[in-house]
Amino acid sequence: MSSDINKKSVSAVKWAAMGTVLMFGLQLVTQVVLARLLGPENYGLFAMGLIVLTFSNFLADFGFSWGLVQNRTLSDEDVRFTVTWQALTGLAAMTLLFFMAPWIAAYFKEARIAPVIAWMSLTCLLNALTAPGSSLLRRALDFRWLNIIQVSSYIVGYLLVGLPLAYAGAGVWTLVAAWLGQSATALVLTYARTRFSLKPLLWYEGARRSTNVGVTVFATNLCNWCLNNMDRVFLGRFLNAHAVGVYAVGYNLANTPNSLFLSALQPAFLATGAKLQDDLPRLRDTYLSVLATIWIVILPLFVLLAMTAPDLIGVLYGKVWQESGIVLSILALAMPAYITWGMSTPILWNTGGKHLESLLQLPLIALAGAALWLWAGQGVAVVAMIAAGTLLARALVVGSVACLR
C-alpha cells in the first residue's frame, strides 16, 4: 500500500512538473501578445470583472467537491450528492452575479464592466460542474489527465478563441470569450474522463461529512479571496481601469510561476497527505523539505525576477506598460511567501486543523483592508507594497502553525 502511494505520488509530481513548465510557457507568451494588442484599459476592465467572478466562483463551488478528495472512503452517493449541490450552488451564484452586475459596475464607477460581468457569470456554473470531476482525478492522483485538461482548455480558450478575437479588435470581449472557452472546454474534458453520475441526490445518510468539509472550505476560500483580491477591489474603487490593468499585469507576471507551482503540487500534496494522515512524522518531514526548497532554490529566482522587472516589462510588453515594472519588482520578492502559505494548507487539512487557516487569517484581512482603505489612492506601487507585506505576514502566521502540527 505504502509503495503504491509512493509510486503514484512520484508520478503525480512528474506530471505536475511537466504541466507546470508547459503552462508557464503558454501563459507567458499568450499574456504578452494579448497585453500588447489590448492595452492597460481593456485589461483593467476585465480584471475588475474577474475580481467579482472569482468571489462568485467560491459561492458556486461551496466546497462540496473537496470531500471527494478528503473522505477516507467514497461511495456513488457521495459523488451524486456533490454533483447535485455543486450544480445548484453554481446556478444560484450565476443568477446572483448576473442580476448584480449593474450594482457592481456602480461600485467601481465603471459602467462598461456591467455586461462583462453578466457574461462571465456563466463560468460560475461551468466551474461548479467541473469541480467534482477534478476532485475525483486528484483523489486518484491522476495528474497526467489533470494537466492534459488544463493545457488543452487553455489552448482552446486563449489560443484558438482569444488571439483571433484580439487581432480582430474585440477589446475586452477577447478576454471574456477566452475565459468562457477555457471553462467550457475544461468541463467537457473532465466529464469525458471521469464520467461521474448525473443522477440528482439532495440528501443521504452520509451527507453530513461532505457538508462539514464544504462549510470549512467555503470559509477558508472566502478568507483567501479577500487577501488575494482586496488590493484590486480598493484600487478599482479609488483609481481607474488603467491603474487596475497596470497592476494586474505586474501581479499576474509575478504570480504566474508560483500559481503554476501551487496548482501542480498543492493538490498532489493534499491528496497524498490524505492517504498519510496516520503517518504524521513522514508528512511533517516532507513539508519541511518543501519549505527548504522554496527558500533555498526558488527565492533566488524571484530575486532575479525583481531585479530585472523594469527591463523585462519594457521588452515583453512595451512602453505603455512601464508602470507595471515597479509592481512586478515589489511582488516578486513576496512570492516565495505565497508558495509557503499554499504548501502549508495541506498540512493543516491533514492534521485536523481545517478550521485554522481561516481563523488565522481573519486579523490579516482586517489589517490589510484598513491599510488599503487609507492608502490605495496613492497609486499602484503603494498597493503592491501592502499586498507584499500581507503575503509575508500570511506565510509567517500560517506556516508557523503548520510547522507545529
Side-chain angles (χ1 to χ4, degrees), residues 33-115:
V33 174
L34 289 176
R36 282 182 170 273
L37 291 171
L38 299 177
E41 190 162 352
N42 282 318
Y43 249 86
L45 292 173
F46 180 73
M48 288 179 181
L50 195 58
I51 293 168
V52 184
L53 178 64
T54 53
F55 177 75
S56 298
N57 276 332
F58 288 144
L59 298 179
D61 182 7
F62 196 79
F64 295 108
S65 61
W66 277 102
L68 301 181
V69 179
Q70 285 285 295
N71 293 341
R72 291 178 181 268
T73 59
L74 197 65
S75 67
D76 181 62
E77 289 180 323
D78 292 324
V79 177
R80 289 172 53 203
F81 175 79
T82 297
V83 173
T84 300
W85 282 100
Q86 288 285 140
L88 291 174
T89 55
L91 183 61
M94 180 185 72
T95 304
L96 180 65
L97 185 58
F98 180 86
F99 285 107
M100 286 189 64
W103 285 274
I104 296 167
Y107 168 82
F108 285 114
K109 302 176 184 177
E110 181 53 81
R112 290 176 293 175
I113 68 169

Side-chain angles (χ1 to χ4, degrees), residues 30-47 171 175 235 240-253 308-329 380:
T30 305
Q31 285 178 15
V32 168
V33 174
L34 289 176
R36 282 182 170 273
L37 291 171
L38 299 177
E41 190 162 352
N42 282 318
Y43 249 86
L45 292 173
F46 180 73
L175 299 170
L235 199 57
N240 50 43
H242 179 90
V244 175
V246 165
Y247 183 86
V249 162
Y251 185 97
N252 290 342
L253 191 55
T308 60
D311 293 332
L312 184 63
I313 290 290
V315 170
L316 293 178
Y317 293 91
K319 292 182 179 180
V320 71
W321 290 97
Q322 204 65 50
E323 291 176 85
S324 297
I326 185 63
V327 175
L328 176 57
S329 291
V380 294

Side-chain angles (χ1 to χ4, degrees), residues 140-319:
L141 296 176
D142 191 357
F143 284 85
R144 173 175 173 268
W145 265 97
L146 279 169
N147 281 283
I148 289 173
I149 292 168
Q150 182 184 39
V151 172
S152 300
S153 60
Y154 190 85
I155 289 173
V156 171
Y158 282 86
L159 272 66
L160 300 184
V161 175
L163 288 180
L165 287 175
Y167 279 107
V172 67
W173 295 104
T174 297
L175 299 170
V176 174
W179 193 274
L180 287 169
Q182 182 184 22
S183 298
T185 304
L187 172 58
V188 171
L189 294 178
T190 302
Y191 182 72
R193 178 62 181 174
T194 54
R195 297 283 183 174
F196 50 80
S197 175
L198 297 177
K199 187 177 179 181
L201 180 64
L202 291 174
W203 195 257
Y204 69 108
E205 186 177 349
R208 191 163 300 281
R209 64 174 181 170
S210 295
T211 56
N212 288 340
V213 172
V215 170
T216 304
V217 170
F218 175 76
T220 302
N221 283 345
L222 184 60
C223 290
N224 291 339
W225 180 88
C226 290
L227 288 169
N228 289 340
N229 292 277
M230 279 196 303
D231 45 5
R232 278 147 290 183
V233 169
F234 285 98
L235 199 57
R237 172 67 176 179
F238 290 114
L239 292 178
N240 50 43
H242 179 90
V244 175
V246 165
Y247 183 86
V249 162
Y251 185 97
N252 290 342
L253 191 55
N255 189 46
T256 295
N258 72 276
S259 65
L260 292 172
F261 181 86
L262 284 175
S263 66
L265 294 186
Q266 188 189 56
F269 196 21
L270 183 65
T272 302
K275 299 177 185 297
L276 297 174
Q277 294 179 44
D278 297 325
D279 192 356
L280 295 185
R282 186 176 168 192
L283 187 60
R284 187 179 297 110
D285 289 344
T286 303
Y287 173 64
L288 293 176
S289 297
V290 169
L291 292 187
T293 301
I294 293 169
W295 292 99
I296 296 173
V297 178
I298 297 178
L299 174 61
L301 300 177
F302 278 103
V303 171
L304 179 62
L305 178 60
M307 293 171 61
T308 60
D311 293 332
L312 184 63
I313 290 290
V315 170
L316 293 178
Y317 293 91
K319 292 182 179 180

